[in-house]
Amino acid sequence: MFIAQELRKTNIAEYLLYMWQVEDIIRAFGCSLSRIRHEYVDKFDYSDEQKEELADWYGNLVTMMNQEGCREHGHLQINKVTLMTLEELHARLLQSPKYPFYTAEYYKVLPFIVELRNKGANKSEGEVETCLNALYGVMMLRLQKKDISQDTAHAVREITTLVGMLNDYYMKDRNGELEDLE
């Protein structure tokens, strides 16, 4: 919760990746708040009040996951909306002649997006989601201490650059600082 709050203010892409990880943590504990509280939250070096806040936050997420039918897979609606906002900004940036550096980076990443889509099960996901799924997948591999190929590492560097640029534009847009996209 505390990390999510900070990331939402500073890096929306990292926020989404973090929230996807939180969804997976909740699933790993069988969507059981008592297990999350006792086996996870209690391990943090937080005050009792902070632990209670964190447990409440997880409780709300568990409730939403149950209500939204994403106990086994998928993402919470709040995360889908954030992703949709990024997808829309991505499309607007590509349509505008005012952001040639973003467009140039996109065309460097496009072959990786196409390749990832061809390998993936969901061919209809947006380009930003494809990029974030790739970053999330590599993050999971690294957490498992598994090797990634040089080709994958290269693709991830390019994708990271594009997502970083998108994040910067998102922050500017949110603060009303983004030059008109028309």
Side-chain angles (χ1 to χ4, degrees), residues 25-33 36 62 65-66 70-72:
I25 288 168
I26 290 170
R27 289 183 188 109
F29 287 103
C31 294
S32 166
L33 181 57
I36 291 168
V62 167
M65 287 176 75
N66 286 324
C70 56
R71 284 178 60 99
E72 303 295 323

Side-chain angles (χ1 to χ4, degrees), residues 132-167:
L132 290 174
N133 278 331
L135 296 177
Y136 188 77
V138 169
M139 182 177 78
M140 291 295 106
L141 289 172
R142 287 183 174 148
L143 286 172
Q144 297 168 24
K145 307 229 185 292
K146 293 186 178 176
D147 292 330
I148 60 170
S149 70
Q150 285 186 317
D151 289 343
T152 299
H154 173 70
V156 166
R157 280 191 301 277
E158 293 296 338
I159 290 169
T160 300
T161 300
L162 180 71
V163 170
M165 291 173 79
L166 180 60
N167 177 71

Side-chain angles (χ1 to χ4, degrees), residues 11-149:
N11 191 317
I12 199 67
E14 285 185 16
Y15 165 79
L16 266 179
L17 293 173
Y18 178 78
M19 289 303 296
W20 289 358
Q21 186 176 25
V22 166
E23 291 168 343
D24 283 344
I25 288 168
I26 290 170
R27 289 183 188 109
F29 287 103
C31 294
S32 166
L33 181 57
S34 63
R35 284 191 62 206
I36 291 168
R37 181 186 301 261
H38 298 297
E39 297 174 39
Y40 188 67
V41 171
D42 284 348
K43 305 281 189 233
F44 289 102
D45 188 25
Y46 291 147
S47 69
D48 289 343
E49 183 179 311
Q50 287 174 313
K51 286 180 183 178
E52 197 57 39
E53 272 185 78
L54 190 58
D56 286 347
W57 183 70
Y58 273 103
N60 289 331
L61 294 174
V62 167
T63 299
M64 288 189 291
M65 287 176 75
N66 286 324
Q67 291 172 343
E68 296 175 20
C70 56
R71 284 178 60 99
E72 303 295 323
H73 54 80
H75 299 297
L76 288 165
Q77 193 62 36
I78 56 172
N79 296 332
K80 288 179 184 177
V81 168
T82 302
L83 179 60
M84 191 169 49
T85 302
L86 286 175
E87 293 280 5
E88 289 168 358
L89 177 60
H90 169 71
R92 289 178 21 226
L93 289 166
L94 291 176
Q95 291 171 355
S96 174
K98 296 179 181 175
Y99 299 95
F101 294 112
Y102 185 81
T103 302
E105 186 59 33
Y106 165 74
Y107 282 112
K108 285 170 69 177
V109 172
L110 185 57
F112 303 122
I113 293 172
V114 171
E115 183 179 349
L116 289 164
R117 278 194 175 157
N118 288 335
K119 289 180 181 178
N122 186 357
K123 309 254 188 258
S124 64
E125 71 186 14
E127 293 175 328
V128 174
E129 185 174 5
T130 299
C131 290
L132 290 174
N133 278 331
L135 296 177
Y136 188 77
V138 169
M139 182 177 78
M140 291 295 106
L141 289 172
R142 287 183 174 148
L143 286 172
Q144 297 168 24
K145 307 229 185 292
K146 293 186 178 176
D147 292 330
I148 60 170
S149 70

